[in-house]
Amino acid sequence: MTKQKEEFMREAIRLSIEKMEAGFGGPFGAVVVRNGEIIARGYNNVLATNDPTAHAEVDAIRKACQALGTYQLTDCDLYTSCEPCPMCLGAIYWARPRKVYYANTKADAARIDFDDQFIYEELEKDMSKRSIPMEQLLREEALEGFKAWEIKVNRTQY
């Protein structure tokens, strides 16, 4: 099984290099594997799409969920060329894959100017002290949607 895991990781690494060299974005690639087969490939598309959320892991998760017709990947593994950033980590937890394998570390990424430490630090701060101001508006009105969800009979739990 280790040899197969290495092959999946090599595919994520190959995508990271190939797509970066083609100008899609930074050197990040990911694959989603189910039952020993790659079901989705993702890569950083930030520059190609002008979308700051178009990271490799998010791209692979979206494609895998679409291919499988589900919003959760509980019987899948994710291979990514780098330790996930905070945004991708959030997406990974929402998708609930069985396991994540990564190659480069966040320290490796920071050395080439992909440093997410400031985001980790921002999350620890009180909202009033964050570098992007946040102001709450119309909570009572917004709670109506939550109340409707709470009493909805045929809702899908996720």
Side-chain angles (χ1 to χ4, degrees):
M1 184 66 159
T2 300
K3 189 149 188 82
Q4 192 175 32
K5 289 178 186 177
E6 289 175 359
E7 288 305 312
F8 295 142
M9 184 58 77
R10 283 190 181 99
E11 179 61 7
I13 294 166
R14 183 193 69 76
L15 284 166
S16 76
I17 296 167
E18 176 185 298
K19 299 304 182 178
M20 177 268 304
E21 288 178 343
F24 286 87
F28 304 97
V31 297
V32 176
V33 175
R34 181 181 186 209
N35 298 328
E37 179 182 335
I38 294 175
I39 58 165
R41 289 170 170 80
Y43 49 90
N44 185 292
N45 279 288
V46 170
L47 298 178
T49 61
N50 293 315
D51 178 355
T53 70
H55 290 199
E57 297 91 336
V58 172
D59 188 36
I61 288 168
R62 287 175 179 161
K63 289 173 179 173
C65 288
Q66 196 168 46
L68 296 174
T70 184
Y71 56 87
Q72 293 187 339
L73 302 174
T74 53
D75 60 348
C76 299
D77 297 323
L78 175 69
Y79 292 78
T80 178
S81 65
C82 187
E83 183 177 356
C85 76
M87 178 188 69
C88 292
L89 193 57
I92 288 165
Y93 274 98
W94 284 118
R96 296 180 176 92
R98 185 174 42 212
K99 190 167 185 175
V100 175
Y101 299 90
Y102 66 93
N104 292 317
T105 67
K106 63 183 180 180
D108 296 329
R111 277 193 284 282
I112 60 166
D113 295 327
F114 289 95
D115 190 353
D116 300 319
Q117 187 58 37
F118 79 98
I119 297 173
Y120 291 108
E121 291 169 5
E122 286 287 300
L123 292 172
E124 295 297 318
K125 293 178 182 176
D126 182 83
M127 289 256 225
S128 65
K129 299 205 182 340
R130 292 183 180 170
S131 63
I132 297 177
M134 296 189 185
E135 180 179 342
Q136 187 176 26
L137 291 174
L138 302 176
R139 178 174 180 258
E140 292 304 316
E141 288 183 36
L143 282 173
E144 291 304 313
F146 281 13
K147 290 174 186 172
W149 174 261
E150 198 171 32
I151 63 171
K152 183 177 166 84
V153 176
N154 61 342
R155 71 180 181 207
T156 302
Q157 287 297 115
Y158 59 97

